[in-house]
Amino acid sequence: MVIAICGYTGQGVETAGAILSEVLRANGRRFRTWRDFSTIIRGGLTSFEAYVDEDTGGEAPARLHAVDVAVVWDRQAAERYRDRVRHVTGLYGAATVDGVPNANRDVLDPVGFNLWALGVVACKLGLSPEDVQAAAMAHFHQRVNLEPLHRGYAKAAGSTSSGPVQASDAPDTAILSGNDALCLGAIHGGVRIYCGYPITPASEILEYMAAWLPEVGGRAYQVEDEIAAIHMAIGASYAGMRTFVATSGPGIDLMTEGLGYAATIEVPLVVVDNQRGGPSTGMPTKTEQSDLRHLLYAGHWEFPRIVLAPTGVVDCLAVIQEALNLADLHQCPVLVALDLDLALRRISVPWETVNDALMRVPALRGRTVLPPASVHGYRRFAAEDGGLPWRTVPGVRGGGYVASGDEHDERGWMEPDFQSVRPTLHRRRLEKVHCVRYDRPLTPVGSPEAPVCLVGTGAMGELIHAAVAAHPDLYRGVLLRQLWPVPADGLLAAVAGAREVVVCEYNATGQLAHLLATTVPDGGCRTVRRYDGEHYTVEAFLAALEAAGETLHGRVRG
Amino acid sequence: MVIAICGYTGQGVETAGAILSEVLRANGRRFRTWRDFSTIIRGGLTSFEAYVDEDTGGEAPARLHAVDVAVVWDRQAAERYRDRVRHVTGLYGAATVDGVPNANRDVLDPVGFNLWALGVVACKLGLSPEDVQAAAMAHFHQRVNLEPLHRGYAKAAGSTSSGPVQASDAPDTAILSGNDALCLGAIHGGVRIYCGYPITPASEILEYMAAWLPEVGGRAYQVEDEIAAIHMAIGASYAGMRTFVATSGPGIDLMTEGLGYAATIEVPLVVVDNQRGGPSTGMPTKTEQSDLRHLLYAGHWEFPRIVLAPTGVVDCLAVIQEALNLADLHQCPVLVALDLDLALRRISVPWETVNDALMRVPALRGRTVLPPASVHGYRRFAAEDGGLPWRTVPGVRGGGYVASGDEHDERGWMEPDFQSVRPTLHRRRLEKVHCVRYDRPLTPVGSPEAPVCLVGTGAMGELIHAAVAAHPDLYRGVLLRQLWPVPADGLLAAVAGAREVVVCEYNATGQLAHLLATTVPDGGCRTVRRYDGEHYTVEAFLAALEAAGETLHGRVRG
Amino acid sequence: MTLDLKAYENGNRPTWCPGCGDYAVLKVIQRALLELGIAPEDVVLVSGIGCSGKISHYFGGYGVHTTHGRVLPVAQGIAAARPDIAVIAAGGDGDGYGIGVGHLVHAVRRNLPLTYVVMDNGVYGNTKGQTSPTSPTGYRSSTSPHGNADEPVHPLRLAWSAGATFIGQGFSGDIRHLVELLKQAVSHPGFALVNVFSPCVVFNKTHDYAFYRRSVFYQETPARSSAELIQLLETHPFPLGVLWRTDRPAAARLETGPADAVPSDCMRRWLRGTLG
Amino acid sequence: MTLDLKAYENGNRPTWCPGCGDYAVLKVIQRALLELGIAPEDVVLVSGIGCSGKISHYFGGYGVHTTHGRVLPVAQGIAAARPDIAVIAAGGDGDGYGIGVGHLVHAVRRNLPLTYVVMDNGVYGNTKGQTSPTSPTGYRSSTSPHGNADEPVHPLRLAWSAGATFIGQGFSGDIRHLVELLKQAVSHPGFALVNVFSPCVVFNKTHDYAFYRRSVFYQETPARSSAELIQLLETHPFPLGVLWRTDRPAAARLETGPADAVPSDCMRRWLRGTLG
Ligand SMILES: Cc1ncc(C[n+]2csc(CCOP(=O)(O)OP(=O)(O)O)c2C)c(N)n1
Ligand SMILES: Cc1ncc(C[n+]2csc(CCOP(=O)(O)OP(=O)(O)O)c2C)c(N)n1
Ligand code: SF4
Ligand code: SF4
Ligand SMILES: [Mg+2]
Ligand SMILES: [Mg+2]
């Protein structure tokens, strides 16, 4: 069942969504939420949607176009959902809204609208009024007038109801967004220090870290800008502590110089880019996957990097830990490409699943030498055995060296004979990512016999799952987790035998398709792209796939 | 004839070079200079070299390995040139230096060394002692002891001399570096305001602008960092003034956000990157061409840009003016890829040539509306006729609008309906560089029959000229002036019929080759790369070309 | 044509929250310009990123909505290039005293003629109420749930320390006072900083209108010495008015229009002179 | 093992110009640490880009040679992560008061325990002598051939205005005094700024050793009030010594080592608490 609540920012639509989610969680229901943003703090149109108990093939229900119940505050909100409700009887709203069936209208106050709407959808979802009431009371610390909630319930019960649904057997369920998962994974992976600067949609990461880190002896700092954030992270990492930074568009630009510096001094550094609509300040509250080229190529060259991307919310728990490991193992920057949808999407997940994903990745620190160890005849940047050099951190006796962004020799000295240093040290540094051994560079979906192979990352994951579930004989999928270096062998194997490869991405220029074009056999692939800031619903995605064969941007060649 | 002077920074080697250059210039001699840098301000080894009256096929003599006369201060300096002098009798130096022939040694003081060396090389070059003496007196404002100069002359005259050379017929000659040429071109193209921050090898541009602009009513500002520089330039350009910014490696990273902003508000912006050895602080005094990927792809996407590269010093005069024109015509960032060698190389050029190059490019301001014009029903970002929108500047009546880095509608309003704005405005903005009409996207060199086609930009220009001159039946060349969008048609025509395409570049990963790989037919090209900070001499370049067929990095595929 | 307030509007309806202090700042800028008789198209309003930064979208003249923290570089580029145009920079406390504080120090030192209005609400409004550089020590928000540990930025004494030639402070709750202040700032021949207490009614529950009404102190004349200014700021944490003013010369600006050609002979001379 | 000065060297011979003030600063850091009994490997010397920035290359403990202007963020990252390690940040006036001045303001506010030594030579030495933020008004260099128009940065009053808890000033020409100063700075439990007049003998011909010998003023005790500090700075432009000191608490730092695992139950509670 798909439900929606739509009103104005400031009316508490998000609050209603949060209360609803909590009751759904406590009942062990399977769901995914979606919320709409606006740069307008008070007065912009805003929606909350929940996709409950639908099975679209992935970790949680994917977004669907068809809505069962939509509760709208005014005419503009009604416009949004009129075409999406399966039947007009699914439309509920304030008495002033034309087009809402008479039986579904009520005289509403702007302040109580959210609770009324909560009553309507909770009833339709078969949630018990007691549960919802208790959750609301808890949320508002008892200080709330619940009358609209009850009226909403009554209104919905009056019409055809779907009847109470049994709570599932596994009520130990968590609600998790991509941002949550990232933070949990990071802390589990040993992160105890975090420096961040607010930016949509990465602010939550700073906020979670500020709330949680002190509980485990850690510290979060809100710093003055993204340049400070990345350089503080470099400092902390140099000093042996695990950390990462997260930002979005404008912030990732500002981190460019730090990226090359970390790579040059061979300090582990994990950078998360919660991509949003570009370019420039762009569409801060809208999703996009358009920073890939920057992540791959930004920074005056030439230095190594690894680029990862999670395939879903639960995967974030693992990817951030894997990123921390790869950064330590390769002593280089590891970039994690997230997107707004994946970062903010909330899903219900059995705690068991969270726990398993958290535990699956053991922390690997590679050749990091921590105090109280000591070393002798130490040369920080020497790697005689063809592997990586050993990295000491302050406090290790005999381990002193200087980490310089100037080109340097094996001891770190900045005025070496470049002609002897470059072919050895510089090449080693560049080539160390040629041998990245990443456990699961990609996740195949569906049957290897299906003729059309859909390739995507991040928020495309749930859609590819849904397409494969809808047409298992036609579609299979590849969810890429390692974007750079391109896992050519795995990709070739995964697309083997496909009649057609379709790269699906949220951007205008086909950045992923261009990256993969030289790897995909027959030198090309079709693309499905969207760049108006909206997510595909499953229905729209399937339609776009169908159209792709004929009309879309044609083949991308390497 | 090739001469060299080598001593320590602080000994005035550069001064001797400057005086020598001035006398050569006044005599209408054809030359190219080269100087060595060190991050050590006092005490590092430093060289001045001049290649005089050699003809290697380009605008001036290219660097050659073989040296006719080398004057060295000490043993370390002698080591540098021992293998390069054609004959040991070409080695001159202080009495304390082993290996210098007895007849070529003199008892020298650290202070007088540079004038002594000047005397030696000036004599060998057939320059009259009176000319040199006068130039030295002028340089030092009369306050100088010229005794070492005369002793140097006498020393050189004592051995085999090449005899006085006649002054050429065209004594109206200028000395020009790439940086000089850029500044001259820019001011000629209408630049009256410049904001810069010191960085090797772009500091000179700020210095020249600070010296010259006030003479024509303009102003240069030394600002606090590169972020300020690019944003001030954006402000000045928004306000209708032509300007540009120049920087190198670390600075170009910091300009990333500004780049995307300028593109989004469709303000003309020219950014020059004087590439030096990377990554990070890297090798600030060494040359490289390794920022290409950053110039092409940096900045959270997706926005348009144009990337140009001059093919030589004189070409800088035109390229900067063309860049200013393209920026105005397309209302987008135009990036100019320079490299340290080209920026700092000094050559002698007949004034006539400078003047012609300056005059050849008329200033085109495209659809810029300057006061006192006025407009009606103005919509800044609307382009009904398929061309570009008109751009008003402050003061134009009726022309008010807001230039916002947030995605916006045709009036500039930042909270539009994205679904309607993106497929029109965003696409138009992205696609406007698809139709760049650039007069000379590339310069072919040599005969179209030659089987091996060498492709390069910037500092590679003189080497490609030299290779073609040396083996006209084997080599032809393409000097790329427009790197993005790739001038595919022109490039295909230029390499047509070639048995082999060799992309020559100063970097480790073959950035230019990768960019061109999909355009070059047969899907690939060989590369010659160097990344130890040193320039190729002609001899070394020819050897690398020969080796490329066999041993170098193999084919680059798209 | 006689000017009226309409000329300084552009028809866009502000989307700030009802009650936001920024409405007053917009109105004040419009009125001050009208009263000074500066035509809207001879003004550029340059704004930062934040709720406050939206202000340029409601102005009837020229506007630039820059990147976060870079309002002063862009504004200075315009001021340097166009002495015939009035430049007003405007933004938030996060934009100007956080990410952008380095540019503020240097803009003060450079002293190019422009007015910088900071809508100081003590929070990052646009990103939903995080702690900002002017949030007091101990302030609780989503990013400082255990209380802000940092010393806040003291914008006025910071500007003084960098050599400011004009420092003023106003309050969104007193429009008439603010108009007069802004007129003086815009007329100042160098860089003028105007800090405005502009409450965020949604996120900042401590520094609201009532707080400021209680706390402000009207200072009639600028301090006559550094000592007096420091003393004033220590005695009255929220003084309003023109608080500081000196006459250090402004930075030189462009003298010519864009079109003047440079005789190539002149360049020949340069080449000789500088490089010969 | 008893420590001696050798332990604080690493065998690299400094490549500064003969006579450069930075030699003294290196020696002073080494001596101060020795006299404080802090082992070299329990210290990180973080440096910026510039001639001054090379200092980390000559230090026998841990060194970080950062990007231009970012010495304080890197140093703060280390200080926050490793309470067991002493952090000394060091760089030039261009690095710290020019491109990096915003970080300085915020580092002062944050007050993490570390010592910041600025080698103030009034020029951009490493890029060949351009005007710097501390070059006086009127100063001529390749980038200000007609005389520097800007007001110089006044680092001490800037740091004071941002809420500094320790401000000191020294001179490369008086090593003994500087060692004492640095020992106090390193022992300070918060952020300590130490500005050092460190002449560039090649490019700055006005502010040389002789100039400072003539101009410095030894201040014996820190100012007891803001007014006194401002008065001091106005009377004596070049005072040496510990000039300002307050005891605002330092920022909190990490409590645990890197290896502690978090019980997943704890996380479960968070998930419930924050998101439930
Ligand atoms: C480089 C960069 N970092 C972060 C952001 C996200 N961001 C947008 S507005 C804002 C804070 C604005 O706070 P303030 O300047 O006080 O303005 P207010 O909204 O309070 O008026 C931030 C951090 C951004 N746009 N760009
Ligand atoms: C982002 C960036 N911009 C510019 C430079 C070039 N640069 C290197 S050192 C320096 C100035 C250093 O001056 P200062 O900090 O005073 O140090 P000094 O050499 O005088 O000790 C500059 C601008 C750089 N390395 N990085
Ligand atoms: S959130 Fe605060 S600052 Fe932003 S518009 Fe609303 S009241 Fe104003
Ligand atoms: S140039 Fe100046 S600052 Fe740099 S090493 Fe030489 S004397 Fe020191
Ligand atoms: Mg604010
Ligand atoms: Mg300096």
Side-chain angles (χ1 to χ4, degrees), chain A residues 182-259:
Chain A
L182 215 66
C183 293
L184 286 185
I187 295 177
H188 193 265
V191 167
R192 289 295 177 279
I193 180 165
Y194 184 82
C195 301
Y197 188 72
I199 188 163
T200 308
S203 303
E204 285 182 356
I205 295 176
L206 170 60
E207 292 165 355
Y208 297 168
M209 293 307 232
W212 295 346
L213 275 183
E215 294 207 21
V216 288
R219 287 283 172 266
Y221 300 87
Q222 178 178 345
V223 300
E224 59 269 29
D225 62 19
E226 292 85 352
I227 295 178
I230 194 169
H231 282 88
M232 284 181 74
I234 289 171
S237 179
Y238 168 88
M241 286 301 303
R242 281 192 150 184
T243 186
F244 73 106
V245 284
T247 185
S248 187
I252 204 85
D253 289 357
L254 289 174
M255 290 187 175
T256 305
E257 192 189 10
L259 219 58

Side-chain angles (χ1 to χ4, degrees), chain A residues 197-200 226 247-248 250-251 254 276 281, chain B residues 257, chain C residues 22 49-53 67-68 70 91-96 99 119 121-127 130 132-133 200:
Chain A
Y197 188 72
I199 188 163
T200 308
E226 292 85 352
T247 185
S248 187
L254 289 174
R276 65 188 208 187
T281 310
Chain B
E257 192 189 12
Chain C
D22 298 350
I49 296 292
C51 294
S52 44
T67 49
H68 187 41
R70 315 307 169 192
D93 45 324
D95 196 78
I99 186 171
M119 286 160 264
N121 58 12
V123 289
Y124 282 21
N126 201 41
T127 46
Q130 295 88 352
S132 94
C200 170

